[in-house]
Amino acid sequence: MNHTLSSIRSMYHFEPLSELALQRYVINPEGRVEFNDDEMSSQEVDFVLEVMELYSGLDQFRADNFLTYSMMTVLEYLERTHAFYEATLLPKIEQSIVGIKKLFPDHQIAGVLDSFFKSYRNELLEHIDLEESRLFPYARRLAHGAGARDYSVEDFQTAHTHEVEDGLDTVINIIETDYPEVARSFAYRSFKNLLEQFRLDLEIHHLMEEEVFLVMLVTLEKDGKVFPFQ
């Protein structure tokens, strides 16, 4: 493929949710997404466009398409995703919780939401730390031909769980089942909309990690350097 930056802009207008993919790349001081032809390679543009397409339906995901990109392109996407979650999405969730608590100042929903966010944030940050402290450095060593095998994809998969994704559904079910008066509020609907966007983004992140990045690493472990790192 050889897409242009105008293709990215067109995809954004076709599927506004795909802005989530863009937000982890170039954003100006006013918070608007901006791309510069000099700042992104043609491969990066193609990769971003293919990721954006996933926001209109995960049935469009084809691992083989992403396996044609360099490992560095995929790794950078995963690292940018972590930074995006920590700097943008988690603070947005926290602020939406503040909005609900202000609307229901004496309601027990405050305890439910505080407990959810503390647990969820800790689980997500533990997941991120595992990848950034163990998996990503291992991937770089492996891709550069380092012989030391002090870690493996199997080690990562043993320690890795998917409870992070499940936590979002759990809190929505609790609120809508046990606290219908809260669920009817605009503040809750905004909170739920944000969680659903986050849920979709996490699913895409999970596919890129499990079906693309880890596949690249397993191939490197077994057969040597097959996927270009840069």
Side-chain angles (χ1 to χ4, degrees), residues 43-71:
Q43 181 178 117
E44 288 175 314
V45 173
D46 288 348
F47 177 83
V48 171
L49 186 57
E50 289 209 60
V51 172
M52 290 174 70
E53 290 175 351
L54 300 178
Y55 289 84
S56 61
L58 295 181
D59 58 323
Q60 299 187 58
F61 176 79
R62 300 292 182 271
D64 288 348
N65 291 346
F66 290 101
L67 288 170
T68 63
Y69 294 99
S70 73
M71 182 179 288

Side-chain angles (χ1 to χ4, degrees), residues 25-213:
Y25 286 89
V26 181
I27 303 179
N28 71 11
E30 287 73 39
R32 296 191 303 273
V33 176
E34 289 185 348
F35 284 96
N36 185 305
D37 291 288
D38 297 329
E39 294 176 349
M40 295 189 74
S41 69
S42 60
Q43 181 178 117
E44 288 175 314
V45 173
D46 288 348
F47 177 83
V48 171
L49 186 57
E50 289 209 60
V51 172
M52 290 174 70
E53 290 175 351
L54 300 178
Y55 289 84
S56 61
L58 295 181
D59 58 323
Q60 299 187 58
F61 176 79
R62 300 292 182 271
D64 288 348
N65 291 346
F66 290 101
L67 288 170
T68 63
Y69 294 99
S70 73
M71 182 179 288
M72 189 64 240
T73 296
V74 179
L75 176 55
E76 183 177 356
Y77 162 81
L78 296 175
E79 289 177 325
R80 286 177 178 272
T81 296
H82 292 169
F84 176 52
Y85 289 171
E86 292 187 71
T88 301
L89 286 185
L90 283 176
K92 281 186 175 181
I93 292 174
E94 188 171 22
Q95 283 304 306
S96 68
I97 288 174
V98 170
I100 295 175
K101 290 165 64 176
K102 286 182 178 179
L103 190 62
F104 298 94
D106 301 317
H107 198 287
Q108 57 186 324
I109 192 63
V112 172
L113 291 173
D114 286 342
S115 177
F116 153 74
F117 186 74
K118 180 180 179 180
S119 175
Y120 184 79
R121 182 178 184 276
N122 288 343
E123 287 178 6
L124 182 61
L125 294 181
E126 286 176 7
H127 170 91
I128 288 173
D129 182 67
L130 176 64
E131 293 186 3
E132 296 194 345
S133 65
R134 302 303 305 274
L135 184 66
F136 295 168
Y138 170 67
R140 286 188 166 92
R141 293 195 303 273
L142 199 62
H144 285 112
R149 292 295 181 88
D150 58 340
Y151 198 64
S152 69
V153 171
E154 184 178 357
D155 292 333
F156 171 74
Q157 290 174 325
T158 298
H160 174 60
T161 68
H162 300 299
E163 293 178 0
V164 170
E165 291 91 338
D166 297 337
L168 300 178
D169 292 334
T170 299
V171 72
I172 288 175
N173 290 335
I174 289 174
I175 294 173
E176 296 188 353
T177 300
D178 298 341
Y179 308 106
E181 68 280 11
V182 175
R184 287 192 293 268
S185 70
F186 177 78
Y188 168 74
R189 291 196 298 273
S190 297
F191 170 72
K192 180 181 179 180
N193 182 60
L194 180 58
L195 290 195
E196 288 176 341
Q197 291 180 17
F198 200 0
R199 184 75 163 86
L200 174 59
D201 202 276
L202 278 169
E203 289 176 351
I204 294 171
H205 172 74
H206 172 70
L207 287 171
M208 294 299 298
E209 178 185 286
E210 297 283 333
E211 304 296 329
V212 181
F213 189 65

